[in-house]
């Protein structure tokens, strides 16, 4: 509904000077791992986050954020109407969207002065106050990886600007209750996402290490259990204190946070509770999650959240009231409402909306089939006498004829899913029919359902189901009951059979039938060319599928079947190893290695002394309020030494400390020091209306931590330094796989062919050029003799290109894939430097971390003998100088032809410089000192170049002169 105008403004912003993400988007496109709809969704997301300041859609529309800049004078409306649109950006916004609300356009102008436009826009968005964006991508388009991309991008920007409320620090992924068996496992793949697909190093690795994933999939707490027995709440509580929490990703089924409230009296604490306490005891997990700050909430298959029985919206509203919610992001392939929703405009006049209003990006199913999904081949068996087994026969026969021997290039076997209406139907009818009537090998068949008294199912069946999409599985037919209708990610699934009404819920025929359309991939991530998939239906399911396609995708079944594939898979370029031709030596260097050892500082915990010290320590934060009674009057100051928190009870407080210790402390341990703890309890609480309350001026989490520490031995982590010698290859040959074509591949395909030909013939490009010119001259003379002088004179051999001329000073593999124009330009300039050529230097690209073994482990020094690891560093380039043959043994004891000196070079865009500062400091100090000391001469040096520095070339030349000469 609004996504078209959002797209227009987004595209304008990306092209404008105010856009700050052009380099990020360019990097993502160059990496080539994400599909176009995923990249477009990321563009939209960053546009709304940065340009739109993460405001709710209703607010952006009301403020006129998306309004066009067209001249109102050109509109065929009255001056009064023109004035209304000029003064009221909300009215103008709705008027510009009159194509979506045709009945509204005229009404806006005729009765605009009587319409509360802000209230109307809020009503269109169901009165939701918080930021809620919905990304609609069809099944198989990569919604899960898109979630992961959003997580990494949010954390990247949050690290750069921690106080910016637009970017989340923590995340929770909610899956609707009914889909827990299929969606929650697929969401675990978020953890497998490679952040280098969206962010360059070293930022990607830093964020990868920061992330803490927690799958909250333990069985829910029984009604009579106490708080300490909730395993999912325990997992969340382990992250306390929440104040500085960053990088936590929780994945939870919706029912884990939508539990009925516990009845009063069924919990171990018997006193009247406030509303907050009722909420806390009703669902402790929900309560804890609501305390996590800067939280972004992802709701998968968000169209389910509209139903009354799930009530996700109510829970999110509650969390939002705590002020902890940054944004809510929904993901769905079906962005349409089940029934049209009416929104009253004025005096009983309503507009209807059929699409979920929060959609900010929409990529339709038909377009996905045309570009990357499998193309469906739909077979429908019609007729009064057609039986379900007849349809199964048709589907199985067609599958074995077309796909029976198909092994995809990733090693997986093509599979057909037959959905069954009941376990009895599967076990007593369909399975025997396949084996006896159709003579299918039972080893080809997997039966998977929940089992019942008559028909048990083994654990090995579940294992087989989870491993269907691996090379280990050779199953070809999968029989399912109430499983795999939605969220089942099996790319090798090639066909679906729905033989009768009831094989799946009527409202889920579209999702179930399209399970087999997912794109299949090669092992290296390259998508296959066009593939087809088989969908075999009975007449009832055909009608349901056609109806749902019309309602949810605005297409027909015929449109889907007739989709013309438009293969958008990237053109791939092969790569070649030249390290042997160039005789590239191994890189020898010394690496600082830090060992972390834990030591006890005491033989006894001395609990009583530590608690006594805590008892005397003042932890309270005193709040001072200034108040001015009237202008010119003196201010009065009131000291607030307490602030009412939750109701407190000593025994319960002890239980809470025990729980937070996760088995480290028993209740008896605390009771043994009861008097000390009672004094502390009375200090951090105060009486109010006959009950004690926690004083929120005290840092309760820190006090609990101090109490827990009092029962444990004091320890410290000591570090040991070791400098180890390493010898590594500059190229990991086995990882040299085809690469997607981009503007930053160097050299081009013709140059690669010429270079590899010259290598094979062991000739220089100049020698090959001379051979070609000699052959050309012979041909020219023959043409002249035949009277074709004009043709002969137009025949030329092109001279060697720049990259061909420099091939033996670089390119240990072909082609290089750069991440930025800066890297490409730098290499070109370096190869042209006069001193570089005179000194006979070489330069090799090291920026693809999966292709090189040369990396530096970096640490930050915290103090005397104290270090913290900050990650691996893969330099962009290594410029090397070999020891020439006429030096005999070689310079510095290095044999002739081996490396004498190495200049480590890093090129950085201005936007990525900040995250590199710590690694830069380590290389410039510890790494250079350790290596040059060990080798006994200045073997290594470091050069840092930033794209906003106008003296890049001068700095490069100065370093070459000072280091290599």
């Amino acid at each position: 509904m609004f996504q078209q105008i959002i797209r227009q403004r987004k595209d304008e912003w990306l092209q404008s000077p105010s856009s700050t993400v052009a380099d990020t988007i360019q990097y993502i496109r160059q990496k080539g791992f994400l599909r176009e709809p995923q990249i477009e969704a990321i563009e939209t997301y960053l546009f709304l986050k940065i340009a739109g300041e993460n405001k709710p859609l209703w607010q952006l529309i009301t403020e006129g954020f998306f309004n066009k800049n067209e001249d109102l004078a050109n509109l065929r409306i009255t001056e009064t109407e023109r004035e209304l649109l000029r003064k009221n950006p909300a009215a103008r916004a709705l008027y510009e969207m009159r194509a979506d609300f045709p009945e509204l356009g005229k009404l806006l102008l005729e009765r605009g002065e009587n319409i509360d436009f802000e209230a109307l826009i809020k009503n269109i968005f169901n009165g939701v106050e918080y930021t809620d964006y919905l990304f609609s991508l069809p099944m198989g388009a990569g919604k899960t990886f898109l979630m992961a991309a959003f997580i990494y991008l949010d954390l990247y920007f949050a690290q750069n600007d921690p106080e910016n409320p637009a970017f989340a620090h923590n995340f929770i992924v909610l899956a609707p209750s009914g889909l827990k068996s299929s969606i929650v496992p697929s969401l675990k793949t978020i953890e497998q996402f490679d952040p280098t697909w969206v962010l360059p190093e070293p930022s990607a690795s830093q964020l990868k290490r920061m992330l803490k994933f927690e799958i909250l999939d333990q069985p829910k707490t029984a009604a009579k259990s106490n708080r300490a027995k909730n395993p999912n709440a325990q997992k969340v509580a382990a992250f306390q204190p929440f104040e500085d929490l960053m990088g936590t990703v929780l994945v939870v089924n919706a029912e884990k946070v939508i539990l009925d409230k516990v009845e009063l009296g069924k919990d171990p604490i018997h006193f009247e509770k406030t509303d907050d306490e009722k909420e806390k005891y009703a669902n402790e997990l929900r309560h804890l999650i609501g305390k996590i700050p800067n939280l972004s909430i992802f709701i998968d298959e968000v169209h389910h959240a509209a139903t009354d029985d799930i009530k996700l919206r109510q829970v999110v509203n509650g969390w939002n009231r705590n002020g902890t919610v940054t944004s809510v992001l929904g993901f769905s392939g079906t962005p349409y409402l089940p029934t049209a929703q009416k929104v009253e405009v004025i005096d009983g006049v309503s507009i209807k909306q059929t699409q979920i209003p929060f959609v900010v990006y929409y990529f339709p199913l038909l377009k996905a089939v045309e570009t990357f999904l499998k193309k469906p081949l739909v077979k429908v068996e019609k007729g009064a006498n057609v039986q379900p087994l007849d349809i199964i026969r048709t589907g199985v026969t067609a599958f074995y004829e077309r796909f029976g021997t198909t092994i995809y290039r990733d090693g997986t076997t093509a599979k057909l899913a037959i959905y069954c209406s009941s376990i009895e139907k599967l076990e007593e009818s369909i399975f025997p029919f396949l084996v006896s009537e159709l003579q299918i090998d039972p080893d080809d068949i997997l039966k998977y359902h929940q089992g019942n008294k008559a028909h048990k199912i083994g654990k090995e069946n579940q294992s087989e189901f989870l491993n269907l999409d691996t090379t280990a599985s050779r199953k070809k037919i999968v029989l399912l009951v109430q499983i795999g209708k939605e969220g089942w990610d099996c790319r090798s699934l090639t066909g679906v059979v729905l033989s009768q009404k009831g094989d799946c819920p009527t409202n889920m025929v579209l999702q179930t039938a399209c399970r087999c359309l997912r794109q299949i991939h090669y092992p290296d991530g390259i998508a296959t060319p066009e593939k087809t998939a088989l969908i075999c239906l009975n007449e009832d399911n055909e009608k349901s599928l056609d109806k749902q396609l019309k309602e949810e995708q605005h297409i027909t079944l015929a449109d889907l079947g007739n989709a013309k594939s438009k293969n958008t898979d990237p053109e791939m370029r092969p790569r070649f190893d030249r390290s042997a031709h160039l005789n590239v030596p191994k890189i020898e260097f010394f690496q600082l290695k830090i060992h972390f050892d834990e030591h006890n500082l005491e033989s006894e915990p001395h609990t009583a002394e530590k608690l006594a010290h805590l008892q005397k320590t003042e932890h309270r934060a005193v709040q001072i309020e200034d108040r001015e009674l009237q202008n010119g009057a003196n201010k009065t100051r009131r000291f607030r030494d307490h602030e009412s928190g939750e109701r407190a009870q000593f025994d319960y407080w002890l239980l809470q400390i025990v729980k937070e210790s996760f088995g480290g402390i028993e209740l008896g341990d605390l009771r043994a020091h009861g008097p000390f703890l009672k004094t502390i309890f009375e200090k951090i609480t105060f009486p109010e209306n006959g009950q004690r309350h926690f004083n929120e001026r005290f840092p309760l989490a820190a006090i609990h931590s101090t109490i827990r520490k009092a029962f444990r031995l004091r320890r410290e982590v000591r570090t040991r330094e070791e400098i180890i010698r390493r010898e590594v290859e500059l190229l990991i040959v086995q990882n040299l796989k085809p690469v997607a074509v981009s503007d930053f591949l160097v050299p081009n395909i013709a140059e690669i062919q010429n270079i590899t030909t010259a290598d094979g013939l062991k000739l220089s490009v100049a020698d090959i050029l001379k051979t070609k010119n000699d052959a050309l001259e012979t041909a020219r003379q023959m043409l002249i003799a035949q009277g074709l002088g004009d043709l002969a004179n137009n025949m030329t051999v092109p001279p060697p290109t720049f990259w061909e001329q420099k091939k033996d000073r670089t390119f240990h593999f072909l082609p290089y894939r750069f991440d930025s124009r800066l890297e490409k330009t730098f290499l070109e300039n370096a190869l042209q430097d006069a001193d570089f050529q005179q000194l006979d230097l070489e330069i090799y690209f090291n920026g693809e971390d999966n292709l090189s073994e040369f990396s530096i482990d970096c640490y930050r020094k915290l103090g005397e003998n104290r270090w913290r690891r900050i990650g691996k560093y893969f330099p962009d380039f290594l410029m090397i100088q070999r020891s020439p043959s006429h030096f005999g043994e070689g310079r510095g004891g290095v044999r002739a032809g081996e490396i004498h000196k190495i200049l480590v070079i890093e090129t950085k865009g201005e936007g990525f410089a900040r995250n590199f500062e710590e690694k830069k400091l380590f290389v410039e100090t510890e790494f250079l000192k350790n290596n040059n000391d060990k080798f006994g001469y200045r073997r290594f040096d470091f050069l840092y170049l930033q794209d906003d520095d106008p003296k890049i070339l001068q700095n490069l030349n100065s370093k070459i002169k000072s280091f290599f000469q």
Side-chain angles (χ1 to χ4, degrees):
M1 183 165 57
F2 298 105
Q3 65 266 15
Q4 290 302 327
I5 196 166
I6 293 174
R7 176 190 284 269
Q8 292 172 15
R9 298 297 172 271
K10 178 262 295 183
D11 290 342
E12 292 170 2
W13 177 71
L14 287 174
Q15 299 300 320
S16 70
S18 62
S19 172
T20 57
V21 299
D23 289 343
T24 301
I25 298 301
Q26 184 183 57
Y27 171 84
I28 294 171
R29 290 188 181 279
Q30 289 166 6
K31 294 298 279 187
F33 286 103
L34 298 186
R35 298 189 180 103
E36 188 61 25
Q38 292 170 312
I39 297 175
E40 289 179 349
I42 288 171
E43 291 175 343
T44 303
Y45 181 68
L46 293 178
F47 166 63
L48 293 171
K49 280 276 185 175
I50 297 172
E53 299 177 349
N54 197 46
K55 294 178 181 178
L57 282 178
W58 69 263
Q59 185 177 349
L60 291 174
I61 294 170
T62 301
E63 294 173 353
F65 178 73
F66 301 114
N67 289 357
K68 301 176 185 176
N69 293 321
E70 64 178 327
D71 189 352
L72 292 175
N74 296 329
L75 297 178
R76 300 179 63 180
I77 56 178
T78 68
E79 189 58 36
T80 301
E81 294 164 346
R82 192 173 288 110
E83 188 65 16
L84 170 68
L85 298 182
R86 185 178 293 115
K87 290 184 175 181
N88 194 321
R92 183 168 180 174
L94 288 177
Y95 183 76
E96 290 182 358
M97 299 175 191
R98 58 192 179 277
D100 295 305
F101 305 109
E103 66 272 38
L104 185 59
K106 187 177 180 181
L107 185 65
L108 287 176
L109 299 179
E110 291 177 349
R111 304 180 62 183
E113 69 279 0
N114 299 320
I115 298 175
D116 185 339
F117 289 99
E118 181 174 331
L120 172 58
I121 293 172
K122 279 188 176 181
N123 287 338
I124 291 174
F125 288 94
N126 304 323
V128 172
E129 293 285 345
Y130 50 81
T131 299
D132 192 338
Y133 302 145
L134 170 58
F135 296 85
S136 180
L137 289 82
M139 172 278 309
K143 293 193 293 290
T144 307
F145 273 174
L146 183 59
M147 293 182 196
F150 288 167
I151 288 171
Y152 280 106
L153 289 167
D154 254 38
L155 282 177
Y156 172 74
F157 286 103
Q159 272 200 320
N160 290 337
D161 189 3
E163 302 304 318
N164 189 336
F167 296 103
H169 296 188
N170 302 287
F171 310 86
I172 180 170
V173 183
L174 298 177
S177 303
L179 309 177
K180 60 183 177 181
S181 63
S182 54
I183 288 182
V184 170
S186 71
L187 291 174
K188 294 182 182 181
T189 59
I190 292 176
E191 192 170 3
Q192 301 164 7
F193 182 82
D194 185 347
T196 62
W197 296 353
V198 294
L199 290 170
E201 294 289 16
S203 299
S205 294
Q206 290 173 347
L207 295 175
K208 182 81 171 178
R209 289 191 297 272
M210 178 191 296
L211 284 187
K212 302 172 285 291
F213 291 89
E214 195 64 72
I215 310 295
L216 307 179
D217 57 356
Q218 297 298 312
K220 66 183 181 182
T221 309
K224 294 183 179 180
S225 67
N226 62 35
R227 292 173 45 133
K229 295 290 182 66
N230 188 330
N232 295 308
Q234 287 179 337
K235 289 180 179 181
V236 177
F239 292 113
Q240 294 185 94
F242 292 146
E243 287 77 11
D244 298 319
L245 188 64
M246 194 171 194
T248 300
V249 182
L250 306 176
V251 180
V252 60
N253 186 261
E255 70 178 11
K256 295 281 192 306
V257 294
I258 316 294
L259 295 179
D260 292 335
K261 291 191 174 183
V262 178
E263 294 178 18
L264 187 64
K266 287 195 174 182
D267 56 86
I269 311 302
H270 298 289
F271 56 83
E272 185 61 32
K273 294 182 273 294
T274 65
D275 288 342
D276 183 66
E277 287 164 340
K278 289 179 182 178
E279 163 72 9
K280 187 171 182 178
Y281 291 112
N283 191 320
E284 185 187 7
L285 176 60
R286 181 172 63 213
H287 182 83
L288 279 172
I289 292 172
K291 301 290 187 183
I292 297 176
N294 300 92
L295 184 68
S296 186
I297 302 167
F298 294 180
I299 305 179
D300 195 37
E301 300 300 341
V302 73
H303 54 279
H304 289 277
T307 57
D308 291 336
D309 58 316
I310 295 181
K311 299 184 176 68
L312 283 180
R313 187 70 70 188
Q314 290 90 320
V315 174
V316 175
N317 286 337
W319 288 338
N320 185 58
R321 286 192 292 270
N322 294 338
T324 58
V325 175
T326 297
S327 59
V328 176
L329 304 178
F331 301 85
S332 173
T334 53
Y336 293 95
L337 297 165
T339 57
Q341 179 177 319
K342 288 186 177 182
V343 179
E344 184 171 311
V345 180
I346 190 172
D347 297 338
V349 179
S350 301
I351 58 174
K352 291 182 180 179
Q353 54 185 10
T354 58
Q355 190 184 75
I356 299 174
F358 302 96
V359 177
V360 297
Y361 178 76
Y362 176 43
F363 193 82
L365 174 63
L366 183 62
K367 191 173 180 180
V369 171
E370 291 175 341
T371 51
F372 55 84
L373 294 183
K374 300 189 190 94
K375 182 179 177 180
L377 173 64
V378 182
K379 287 183 173 290
V380 180
E381 292 288 322
K382 297 183 179 181
N385 297 322
V386 173
Q387 299 299 312
L389 292 181
D390 296 328
I391 296 169
I392 291 174
R393 182 194 302 273
T394 299
V396 171
T397 302
F399 172 79
Y400 271 89
E401 287 176 354
R402 187 177 282 264
F403 305 108
T405 59
T406 297
I407 303 292
Y408 290 112
R409 288 185 58 178
D410 66 352
T412 56
T413 303
K415 300 169 185 66
L416 174 72
I418 301 176
Y419 290 85
C420 311
S421 56
S422 67
I423 295 175
E424 288 74 17
K425 188 79 173 177
L426 184 156
E427 294 280 2
E428 299 169 13
S429 175
I430 297 175
F431 180 74
F433 173 75
L434 294 175
V435 174
S436 58
E437 184 75 16
L438 300 185
Q439 299 294 302
I440 304 298
D441 186 343
D443 288 340
D444 282 0
I445 304 172
L446 172 65
K447 298 184 291 184
Y448 189 48
H449 50 74
Q450 298 303 316
N452 58 25
K453 290 182 179 179
H455 302 286
K456 305 292 185 182
I457 201 79
K459 290 185 178 180
E460 66 276 7
N461 294 61
Q462 181 179 14
S463 177
E464 282 270 15
F465 180 76
L466 295 175
N467 288 286
L468 280 174
D469 220 19
T470 67
T471 57
S473 176
R474 285 292 175 258
K475 299 297 182 183
K476 295 183 178 180
I477 294 181
V478 187
L479 303 180
L480 300 170
V481 180
Q482 296 301 317
I483 289 171
K485 303 181 296 297
E486 195 166 21
W488 179 27
D489 183 1
C490 184
R491 290 177 172 84
S492 58
L493 184 66
T494 315
V496 164
V497 175
L498 296 172
S499 63
Q500 65 177 11
K501 191 173 183 178
D503 284 343
C504 73
T506 304
N507 64 346
M508 296 187 70
V509 173
L510 172 58
Q511 290 92 330
T512 306
C514 291
R515 287 297 96 199
C516 58
L517 301 186
R518 287 182 179 273
Q519 185 181 28
I520 191 73
H521 286 259
Y522 297 157
D524 56 8
I526 306 167
T528 61
E530 175 195 347
K531 294 291 181 183
T532 56
L534 175 68
I535 298 175
C536 193
L537 309 168
N538 73 331
E539 198 167 0
D540 284 333
N541 286 318
E542 179 210 20
K543 291 177 181 177
S544 296
L545 177 56
D546 192 55
K547 179 175 181 288
Q548 288 166 34
L549 284 170
K550 290 174 181 175
E551 292 174 348
E552 300 180 12
Q553 296 292 329
H554 291 184
I555 61 173
T556 65
L557 182 55
D559 294 331
L560 190 65
N562 295 328
K564 295 181 180 179
S565 295
K566 301 172 184 175
N567 193 356
T568 60
D569 296 337
E571 179 187 350
M572 306 304 294
R573 186 150 295 166
R575 298 180 115 174
F576 303 92
D577 171 21
R578 299 186 69 238
S579 56
H581 172 81
L582 295 171
N583 192 25
V584 178
K586 290 184 177 181
I587 306 295
E588 296 182 48
F589 67 105
F590 288 89
Q591 171 67 60
L592 175 65
K593 185 176 180 62
I594 303 297
H595 300 275
F596 297 91
D597 303 318
E598 192 175 81
H599 295 267
N600 290 334
L601 298 178
E602 53 189 2
S603 57
E604 296 292 334
H606 305 293
T607 301
E609 291 87 338
K610 292 174 184 177
L611 290 177
H613 177 71
L614 174 64
Q615 196 178 14
K616 299 173 184 176
T617 305
E618 179 59 64
H619 289 278
R620 177 166 42 191
V622 178
Q623 182 178 358
I624 302 174
E625 292 184 348
D626 288 341
R627 193 160 62 107
E628 190 173 83
L629 297 178
Q630 61 185 19
N631 292 337
N634 292 330
K635 292 181 179 179
T636 62
R637 309 188 98 186
R638 183 166 69 92
F639 293 82
R640 294 183 58 191
D641 60 358
H642 71 266
E643 184 172 332
S644 181
E646 297 177 1
R647 203 164 301 176
Q649 188 191 55
F650 181 66
D651 288 340
Y652 170 73
W653 180 62
L654 297 182
L655 286 171
Q656 181 70 11
I657 295 172
V658 169
K659 175 187 171 180
E660 290 173 355
S661 75
F662 292 98
I665 305 174
E666 299 292 338
L667 186 58
D669 298 332
L670 295 178
R671 292 197 184 282
H673 298 272
F676 283 116
L677 293 171
K678 187 73 171 179
T679 304
I680 295 171
F681 174 77
E682 291 176 350
K683 190 174 184 179
I684 64 175
T685 61
F686 65 94
E688 184 177 80
N689 299 327
Q691 294 284 348
R692 295 198 73 82
H693 287 256
F694 285 107
N695 183 355
E696 291 198 350
R697 298 261 64 82
F698 283 93
L700 297 181
I703 291 171
H704 289 185
S705 175
T706 304
I707 292 172
R708 294 194 300 271
K709 290 176 183 176
F711 289 84
R712 297 172 182 166
L713 298 176
R714 281 197 308 118
R715 297 185 176 96
E716 73 171 5
V717 175
R718 298 175 184 171
T719 57
R720 288 185 295 111
E721 302 175 18
E722 181 183 10
I723 298 178
I724 59 175
R725 180 183 175 276
R726 296 197 62 198
E727 186 178 70
V728 298
E729 298 282 359
L730 204 54
L731 175 64
I732 306 173
V733 178
Q734 60 268 30
N735 290 351
L736 199 61
K737 297 176 180 178
V739 62
V741 173
S742 76
D743 292 339
F744 298 117
L745 281 188
V746 175
N748 63 37
I749 189 67
E751 292 167 328
I752 290 173
Q753 291 172 348
N754 290 338
I755 292 172
T756 54
T757 299
D759 290 351
L761 296 174
K762 301 187 184 306
L763 296 173
S764 67
V765 173
D767 291 334
I768 291 179
L769 180 63
K770 182 179 183 304
T771 303
K772 287 183 177 180
N773 275 319
D774 291 344
L776 177 63
E777 183 59 29
T778 302
R780 288 178 72 250
Q781 294 301 325
M782 291 175 61
L783 291 172
I784 291 172
Q786 298 172 16
L788 300 174
D790 290 342
L791 179 61
N793 292 331
N794 289 327
M795 295 174 63
T796 60
V797 173
T801 67
F802 173 80
W803 297 116
E804 290 170 351
Q805 294 177 48
K806 304 298 181 183
K807 74 180 185 71
D808 290 336
R809 290 287 169 258
T810 187
F811 296 134
H812 59 309
F813 63 89
L814 292 169
Y816 285 165
R817 182 184 69 191
F818 298 124
D819 292 330
S820 68
R821 192 173 304 279
L822 173 62
E823 292 172 338
K824 178 180 176 182
T825 303
F826 168 77
L827 178 60
E828 190 172 1
N829 290 329
L831 290 167
Q832 293 181 82
D833 184 271
D835 291 288
F836 175 91
Q837 299 176 59
Q838 183 181 351
L839 291 167
D840 204 22
L841 304 179
E842 302 161 48
I843 183 169
Y844 298 108
F845 181 57
N846 192 67
E848 291 192 61
D849 54 12
N850 65 317
L851 293 182
S852 175
E853 289 183 339
F854 179 70
S855 64
I856 301 171
D857 289 332
C858 298
Y859 299 87
R860 178 158 67 95
K861 196 160 190 175
L862 303 176
E864 188 67 28
N865 297 323
R866 294 182 60 223
W867 297 86
R868 192 184 79 185
R869 190 174 186 274
I870 54 178
K872 284 186 179 295
Y873 164 50
F874 287 85
D876 285 338
F877 295 94
L878 297 182
M879 187 177 289
I880 70 170
Q881 181 183 57
R882 303 193 194 217
S883 187
S885 57
H886 63 270
F887 270 78
E889 180 62 23
R891 289 172 280 192
V894 179
R895 292 188 299 274
E898 293 190 354
I899 293 177
H900 173 55
K901 286 190 172 186
I902 300 176
L903 176 62
V904 177
I905 303 172
E906 182 66 25
T907 60
K908 269 283 181 285
E910 180 183 6
F912 300 110
R914 179 179 175 184
N915 288 333
F916 184 65
E917 290 175 356
E918 288 188 335
K919 290 183 177 179
K920 177 175 178 287
L921 178 63
F922 177 83
V923 174
E924 291 176 330
T925 55
E926 300 296 333
F927 178 80
L928 293 183
K929 181 181 183 301
N930 292 337
N931 278 273
N932 294 341
D933 286 350
K934 287 289 186 179
F935 282 102
Y937 70 100
R938 191 180 170 201
R939 179 182 174 89
F940 280 91
D941 206 342
F942 179 71
L943 175 62
Y944 175 78
L945 301 171
Q946 196 164 302
D947 64 353
D948 59 343
D949 185 353
K951 296 183 178 180
I952 286 182
L953 296 183
Q954 295 95 310
N955 294 339
L956 170 64
N957 184 257
S958 297
K959 180 65 72 172
I960 290 174
K961 288 181 176 179
S962 65
F963 180 55
F964 291 110
Q965 289 184 348

